[in-house]
């Protein structure tokens, strides 16, 4: 008997890669998405796969499934600062009402539940690198508040279902991730810089470019998340790549990797843009025996090859 996984946001960047991994490990997958930021292109290769069933629906509405379910992976959400600035209410609804519905499925089916949380719950962090014990520094009313607070609520609701209803739950805090299937125009730094570089257009570095991020390749991230779901650890775990760099260094790296003629231009720094971000992954290393394997140069080669087909 195959195990059944439900993936919300299955047509998104991470949801579709997770779906592929689950199918390759022998799961049946029921994917849900309403295509607000997901794309049918990310799952079109699964057409005709008897182990994959797709339901087009908004996960803030009641989710009706008439079969047993073993795992619920809640990945539905806009994830780019530009997206959630445009649709802050939908972002808050999917993080709150959507998490409630997904937890309801897990409770009803006696399934294990994993929520895709985020390094954004640490806000503009005052502790560096960020450990899971850090409570964060988030502006509730700033432009990122809709996403950050929805994800913080999602974590709190997950723990409430765990404590009150004894649902088996997992919380992954996902740090910046990149790879094929990111949307070219989603506004995040990886697709923005790569598409600018491939068109030999100016690379738009925000602020002075001294803010830092740490980028994890998607296959590493999904493997870490899979191990977390299969572990018996029910407190939050950071998954990300701890190799940290400034956005100026990252722009240079993209110019080098694409052999672009682009020059760097500086644009205003968006409000509340975190100044530094780097995961402390000691927990993942110890508990999941996981650490990232794909170095940036390799991950970028694969990502750039994908974007070349899209620009
Ligand atoms: N960024 C940039 N130029 C761009 C897009 C983003 O310099 O065209 C910067 C942004 O200010 C942030 C970092 O790159 O400091 C990562 O931004 P992203 O939107 O990818 O995600 P975040 O980590 O801020 O959620």
């Amino acid at each position: 008997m195959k195990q059944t996984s439900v993936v919300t946001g299955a047509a998104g960047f991470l949801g579709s890669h997770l779906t592929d991994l689950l199918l390759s490990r022998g799961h049946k997958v029921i994917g849900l998405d309403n295509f607000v930021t997901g794309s049918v292109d990310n799952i079109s290769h699964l057409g005709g796969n008897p182990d994959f069933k797709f339901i087009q629906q908004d996960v803030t509405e009641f989710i009706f499934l008439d079969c047993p379910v073993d795992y619920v992976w809640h990945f539905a959400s806009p994830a780019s600062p530009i997206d959630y600035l445009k649709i802050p209410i939908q972002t808050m609804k999917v993080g709150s009402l959507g998490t409630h519905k997904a937890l309801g499925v897990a409770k009803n089916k006696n399934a294990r539940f994993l929520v895709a949380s985020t390094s954004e719950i640490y806000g503009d962090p005052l502790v560096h690198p960020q450990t899971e014990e850090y409570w964060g520094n988030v502006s509730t009313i700033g432009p990122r508040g809709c996403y950050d607070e929805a994800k913080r609520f999602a974590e709190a609701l997950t723990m409430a279902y765990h404590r009150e209803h004894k649902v088996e739950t997992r919380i992954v805090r996902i740090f910046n991730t990149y790879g094929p299937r990111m949307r070219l125009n989603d506004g995040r730094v990886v697709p923005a810089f790569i598409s600018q570089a491939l068109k030999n257009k100016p690379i738009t570095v925000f602020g002075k470019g001294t803010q830092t991020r740490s980028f994890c390749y998607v296959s590493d991230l999904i493997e870490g998340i899979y191990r977390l779901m299969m572990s018996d650890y029910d407190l939050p775990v950071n998954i990300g790549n701890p190799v940290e760099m400034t956005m100026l260094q990252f722009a240079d790296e993209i110019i080098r990797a694409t052999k672009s003629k682009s020059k760097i231009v500086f644009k205003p720094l968006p409000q509340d843009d975190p100044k530094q971000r780097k995961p402390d992954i000691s927990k993942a290393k110890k508990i999941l025996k996981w650490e990232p394997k794909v170095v940036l140069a390799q991950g970028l080669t694969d990502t750039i090859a994908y974007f070349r087909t899209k620009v």
Side-chain angles (χ1 to χ4, degrees):
M1 271 291 280
K2 291 198 170 209
Q3 297 195 297
T4 298
S5 275
V6 171
V7 177
T8 75
F13 166 46
L14 297 183
S16 66
H17 283 286
L18 173 65
T19 296
D20 286 346
L21 182 99
L22 293 171
L23 289 167
S24 77
R25 299 211 170 148
H27 288 228
K28 283 180 179 286
V29 177
I30 302 169
L32 283 78
D33 209 297
N34 63 355
F35 299 119
V36 166
T37 56
S39 164
V40 75
D41 292 349
N42 293 339
I43 49 170
S44 54
H45 61 286
L46 301 175
N49 185 328
D51 288 333
F52 181 65
K53 181 174 159 193
F54 182 73
I55 302 171
Q56 183 169 346
Q57 100 153 70
D58 179 340
V59 299
T60 67
E61 309 284 343
F62 186 84
I63 302 168
F64 177 77
L65 299 171
D66 60 356
C67 61
V69 174
D70 301 289
Y71 301 100
V72 177
W73 313 71
H74 181 40
F75 276 67
S77 178
S80 148
I82 287 198
D83 286 337
Y84 51 70
L85 257 178
K86 271 192 234 144
I87 46 170
I89 297 172
Q90 269 179 295
T91 302
M92 294 211 76
K93 283 174 77 177
V94 73
S96 54
L97 306 179
T99 304
H100 183 226
K101 297 293 177 291
L103 276 161
V105 172
K107 173 173 168 258
N108 180 24
K109 303 286 183 183
N110 208 7
R112 194 179 285 183
F113 176 87
L114 181 144
V115 64
S117 184
T118 166
S119 55
E120 280 284 324
I121 69 107
Y122 301 121
D124 190 1
L126 305 176
V127 165
H128 194 75
Q130 292 78 55
T131 58
E132 290 86 348
E133 284 69 36
Y134 178 48
W135 288 357
N137 177 38
V138 173
S139 164
T140 54
I141 56 168
R144 290 175 176 252
C146 60
Y147 181 68
D148 302 6
E149 292 300 342
K151 290 292 190 180
R152 291 172 69 96
F153 177 89
E155 288 197 9
L157 191 64
T158 299
M159 290 311 289
Y161 266 69
H162 176 67
R163 293 188 179 113
E164 191 174 332
H165 293 312
K166 312 293 175 216
V167 174
E168 271 202 69
T169 56
R170 307 285 179 262
I171 298 172
V172 60
R173 293 188 180 148
I174 298 172
F175 283 66
N176 292 69
T177 303
Y178 69 103
R181 301 187 194 158
M182 292 189 97
R183 264 170 34 243
L184 202 60
N185 59 352
D186 88 350
R188 282 187 281 187
V189 70
V190 176
F193 283 4
I194 295 179
S195 56
Q196 290 161 349
L198 291 178
K199 293 185 216 154
N200 291 310
K201 294 220 168 118
I203 307 269
T204 54
V205 170
F206 295 165
K208 293 193 179 110
T210 51
Q211 69 274 31
T212 66
R213 295 292 185 273
S214 316
F215 297 100
C216 187
Y217 191 62
V218 64
S219 59
D220 279 336
L221 183 97
I222 298 296
E223 177 63 35
I225 290 172
Y226 180 85
R227 288 192 196 189
L228 176 60
M229 178 67 112
M230 299 306 156
S231 78
D232 58 6
Y233 191 74
D234 53 32
L235 293 175
V237 177
N238 291 337
I239 299 282
N241 190 318
V243 177
E244 183 186 10
M245 68 190 69
T246 68
M247 289 309 96
L248 212 45
Q249 286 170 325
F250 189 57
D252 285 336
E253 183 67 26
I254 296 291
I255 291 171
R256 188 202 54 75
T258 52
K259 301 190 175 59
S260 172
K261 296 188 183 64
S262 294
K263 297 276 175 279
I264 289 169
V265 295
F266 293 92
K267 298 274 181 190
L269 187 68
Q271 191 188 329
D272 297 344
D273 198 293
K275 286 182 265 315
Q276 51 181 5
R277 181 182 289 156
K278 166 185 165 148
D280 181 319
I281 58 164
S282 316
K283 270 212 169 74
K285 278 185 176 165
K286 189 160 168 243
I287 297 166
L288 311 177
K289 308 277 176 278
W290 174 88
E291 62 184 314
K293 291 193 171 69
V294 181
V295 296
L296 187 66
Q298 180 56 51
L300 282 182
T301 303
D302 295 353
T303 310
I304 290 165
Y306 171 81
F307 278 115
R308 275 191 206 281
T309 68
K310 298 281 171 188
V311 289

